[in-house]
């Protein structure tokens, strides 16, 4: 049950053209930066990528855009990326914009074996177009479908060799949801420990959801908007 | 003399009461956080997974793993906590957040809000706004009354794609405060320096006027 692998190259080697990837992170916070670089180097194409954002022009998922490896993006906010705008306006990339809470719940549902759910989010907007509407207790809801991925790429703070994961601060975000929704989930981590060293009460993602653990990578952890207190 | 922005922010601040859980939208609403006095205890929620947003960090405290929904480095207050995105929107969608204050591009007389997309220009995405307007117990929109061309942003009907239909409870602009009920908009306050005539000339939507404003003329 040792799930540890040693290189990003090995980790992404089974990801093929046309795969659907669910990628954790919010902005540049908690993104699997080593796995993304591995995908850049593997050159795999026609990817469908499900992630809250699409990085910035020269970092995160923006690197895959630059290489034109993404065919379709499912995200809630893509406003930080000029290259995205160009590819979108030229019709080179397909985009599905999903409200952030609906995106989170669609991924959560995917991992939890729930095929669809009703939500009031998006009722009366473009998001509700062509979706089933249903009245519950006098309020209108729309049916939203679960998302699963051929692969999920996540970033955790600590892991053991069984794939139990602990995240740090707001770098958690979509990562636990993504981890459960991938047929194959690859986690890259800052620190690898032996089984038994993580407090079982503090494990965020149980190892059953994780197939591979990539340790030993270098993390840049770029900051998108550095703000400091006025002294 | 206060700037338009100060008028809006200071009026919005009055809506934040002790004990509330509040989500402040990206942009102008985020600036309200700095104005909240120490005497009012509130927990600010950030939809990327943080309850209890603290002030911006000192240079030596900056942590790339700790950001707000605007992707800015922040700190956490004592008693704050972290959670994943699904739990974050359980708080929002499940009606556990007392108040959401959001920016707006257009608000209609029936309480529709448009604030996420301008067709033909870049589509940035709705982020968490569509969830917030449906799920928060109270939704307040803050925005300038007119755009840079002097055109009313308070519309009979929104021309931009909606974030939500009949979701706004209050609208605070640099000229006035409106409340919404049963699909109708009512002018309830004038901002400092504004007159009923000015509000009328700069508001495209139809609206009712609260009796107190008529009596005090």
């Amino acid at each position: 049950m040792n799930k540890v692998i040693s290189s990003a190259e090995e980790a992404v080697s089974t990801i093929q053209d046309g795969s659907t990837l669910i990628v954790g992170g919010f902005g540049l916070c908690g993104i699997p930066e080593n796995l993304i670089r591995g995908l850049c180097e593997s050159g795999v194409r026609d990817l469908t990528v499900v992630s809250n954002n699409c990085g910035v022009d020269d970092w995160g998922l923006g690197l895959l855009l630059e290489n034109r490896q993404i065919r379709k993006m499912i995200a809630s906010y893509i406003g930080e990326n000029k290259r995205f705008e160009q590819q979108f306006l030229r019709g080179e990339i397909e985009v599905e914009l999903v409200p952030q809470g609906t995106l989170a719940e669609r991924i959560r549902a995917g991992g939890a074996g729930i095929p669809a759910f009703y939500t009031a989010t998006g009722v009366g907007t473009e998001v509700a177009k062509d979706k089933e509407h249903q009245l519950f207790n006098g309020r209108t809801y729309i049916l939203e479908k679960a998302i699963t991925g051929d692969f999920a790429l996540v970033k955790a703070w600590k892991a053991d060799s069984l794939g139990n994961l602990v995240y740090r601060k707001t770098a958690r975000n979509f990562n636990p949801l993504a981890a459960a929704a991938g047929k194959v989930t690859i986690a890259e981590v800052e620190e690898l420990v032996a089984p038994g060293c993580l407090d079982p009460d503090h494990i965020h993602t149980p190892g059953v959801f994780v197939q591979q653990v990539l340790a030993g990578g270098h993390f840049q952890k770029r900051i998108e908007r550095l703000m400091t207190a006025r002294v | 003399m206060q700037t338009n922005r100060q008028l809006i922010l200071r009026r919005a601040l009055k809506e934040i009461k002790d004990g509330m859980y509040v989500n402040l939208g990206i942009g102008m609403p985020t600036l309200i956080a700095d104005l909240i006095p120490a005497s009012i205890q509130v927990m600010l929620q950030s939809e990327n997974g943080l309850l209890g947003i603290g002030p911006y960090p000192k240079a030596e405290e900056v942590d790339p793993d700790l950001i707000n929904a605007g992707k800015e480095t922040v700190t956490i207050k004592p008693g704050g906590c972290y959670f994943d995105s699904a739990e974050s929107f359980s708080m929002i969608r499940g009606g556990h957040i007392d108040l959401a204050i959001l920016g707006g591009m257009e608000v209609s007389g029936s309480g529709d809000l448009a604030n996420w997309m301008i067709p033909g220009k870049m589509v940035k995405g709705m982020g968490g706004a569509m969830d917030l307007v449906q799920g928060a117990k109270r939704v307040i929109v803050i925005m300038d009354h007119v755009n840079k061309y002097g055109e009313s942003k308070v519309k009979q009907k929104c021309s931009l794609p909606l974030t939500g239909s009949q979701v706004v409870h209050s609208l605070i602009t640099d000229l006035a405060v409106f409340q919404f009920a049963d699909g109708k908009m009512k002018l309830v306050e004038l901002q400092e320096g504004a007159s009923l005539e000015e509000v009328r000339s700069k508001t495209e939507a139809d609206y009712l006027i609260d009796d107190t404003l008529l009596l005090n003329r």
Side-chain angles (χ1 to χ4, degrees):
Chain A
M1 294 201 98
N2 186 343
K3 299 174 181 176
V4 179
I5 47 169
S6 55
S7 74
E9 187 187 359
E10 183 190 347
V12 302
S13 61
T14 56
I15 299 177
Q16 298 187 339
D17 288 358
S19 296
T20 295
L21 314 181
I22 305 178
V23 182
F26 184 97
L28 299 180
C29 181
I31 59 171
E33 53 183 86
N34 291 289
L35 291 168
I36 290 169
R37 280 208 304 269
L39 282 173
C40 281
E41 281 158 27
S42 87
V44 66
R45 299 179 63 86
D46 293 325
L47 298 171
T48 294
V49 176
V50 183
S51 192
N52 189 56
N53 311 98
C54 200
V56 295
D57 278 337
D58 62 346
W59 193 238
L61 290 170
L63 295 173
L64 297 183
L65 278 181
E66 186 176 0
N67 280 353
R68 299 173 186 276
Q69 291 173 268
I70 301 178
R71 184 184 63 79
K72 179 177 180 181
M73 188 74 212
I74 301 176
S76 89
Y77 190 83
I78 50 171
E80 318 294 355
N81 199 313
K82 290 192 182 68
R83 185 165 285 120
F84 200 109
E85 177 178 13
Q86 293 155 9
Q87 292 189 17
F88 179 60
L89 292 174
R90 286 197 218 110
E92 293 170 358
I93 186 166
E94 190 183 338
V95 181
E96 181 182 343
L97 286 168
V98 180
Q100 195 175 133
T102 297
L103 183 64
E105 194 63 13
R106 287 177 67 188
I107 298 169
R108 197 198 71 80
I114 294 169
F117 59 92
Y118 288 101
T119 177
T121 300
V123 169
T125 75
E126 289 182 2
V127 166
K129 204 173 156 220
D130 301 326
K131 287 180 183 153
E132 184 190 321
H133 287 58
Q134 182 76 42
L135 210 60
F136 294 99
N137 303 319
R139 188 172 182 191
T140 303
Y141 296 78
I142 53 173
L143 189 68
E144 291 281 4
K145 290 181 181 153
I147 295 174
T148 54
D150 299 313
F151 295 87
L153 310 183
V154 305
K155 155 72 177 41
W157 180 34
K158 292 181 183 179
D160 63 22
S161 54
L162 297 173
N164 291 305
L165 306 180
V166 176
Y167 308 94
R168 185 170 178 274
K169 302 189 178 179
T170 55
R172 193 184 318 181
N173 56 62
F174 281 77
N175 281 300
L177 320 172
K183 287 194 197 86
V184 174
T185 292
I186 311 169
E188 64 173 73
V189 303
E190 293 178 56
E191 190 180 340
L192 182 68
V193 300
C197 292
L198 298 175
D199 183 338
D201 268 333
H202 292 171
I203 288 168
H204 298 127
T205 293
V208 67
F209 294 118
V210 178
Q211 280 67 48
Q212 296 185 328
V213 176
L214 173 64
H218 170 71
F219 289 90
Q220 289 193 19
K221 292 199 184 182
R222 285 201 198 170
I223 291 172
E224 212 162 323
R225 294 213 170 94
L226 177 65
M227 298 293 285
T228 51
R230 270 175 254 139
V231 181
Chain B
M1 178 82 185
Q2 299 185 86
T3 64
N4 288 358
R5 175 164 281 200
Q6 284 169 333
L7 279 171
I8 293 170
L9 293 175
R10 290 195 180 139
R11 180 58 190 80
L13 177 65
K14 289 187 189 173
E15 303 289 331
I16 296 177
K17 308 280 196 258
D18 195 62
M20 277 185 169
Y21 290 89
V22 180
N23 183 295
L24 300 175
I26 294 165
M28 183 158 62
T30 301
L31 301 174
I32 299 168
D34 278 347
L35 304 176
I36 300 172
S39 58
I40 296 178
Q41 295 237 341
V42 293
M43 285 297 233
L44 299 178
Q45 199 245 21
S46 189
E47 61 266 26
N48 55 317
L50 165 59
L51 193 59
I53 307 171
Y56 291 127
K58 297 186 191 116
E60 64 272 21
E61 293 172 339
V62 165
D63 185 341
D65 287 340
L66 181 44
I67 63 169
N68 65 15
K71 286 108 181 176
E72 298 172 334
T73 48
V74 291
T75 56
I76 186 169
K77 287 211 312 190
C81 59
Y82 306 113
F83 35 84
D84 68 48
S85 299
E87 188 160 20
S88 178
F89 283 92
S90 296
M91 291 174 199
I92 292 167
R93 211 190 295 102
H96 308 280
I97 299 297
D98 297 301
L99 175 62
I101 303 181
L102 302 172
M105 294 174 181
E106 294 177 345
V107 169
S108 81
S110 59
D112 297 351
L113 170 65
N115 74 349
W116 71 280
M117 170 185 186
I118 304 174
K121 298 193 179 178
M122 181 53 195
V123 182
K124 289 184 184 299
M126 66 292 279
M130 286 192 182
D131 305 277
L132 281 161
V133 297
Q134 290 292 343
K137 286 183 197 160
R138 200 149 166 263
V139 175
I140 296 177
V141 173
I142 61 174
M143 65 179 193
D144 291 328
H145 207 96
V146 298
N147 65 19
K148 60 183 172 184
Y149 307 108
E151 298 159 351
S152 183
K153 293 172 70 172
V154 189
K155 313 286 273 190
Q156 192 68 25
K157 190 170 185 299
C158 292
S159 60
L160 297 170
L162 295 186
T163 306
S165 172
Q166 296 196 25
V167 292
V168 181
H169 295 95
S170 298
L171 168 64
I172 299 171
T173 75
D174 49 311
L175 297 181
V177 181
F178 297 92
Q179 283 177 358
F180 297 81
D182 305 321
K184 288 198 170 66
M185 181 168 91
K186 184 190 260 189
L187 174 64
V188 295
E189 268 178 60
L190 293 171
Q191 290 274 34
E192 188 186 309
S195 66
L196 286 173
E197 287 68 27
E198 185 180 11
V199 171
R200 189 178 60 227
S201 69
K202 292 181 175 172
T203 305
E204 189 201 291
D206 294 330
Y207 57 91
L208 307 168
I209 302 177
D210 194 73
D211 291 344
T212 55
L213 288 175
L214 295 170
L215 291 170
N216 292 340
R217 288 187 87 179

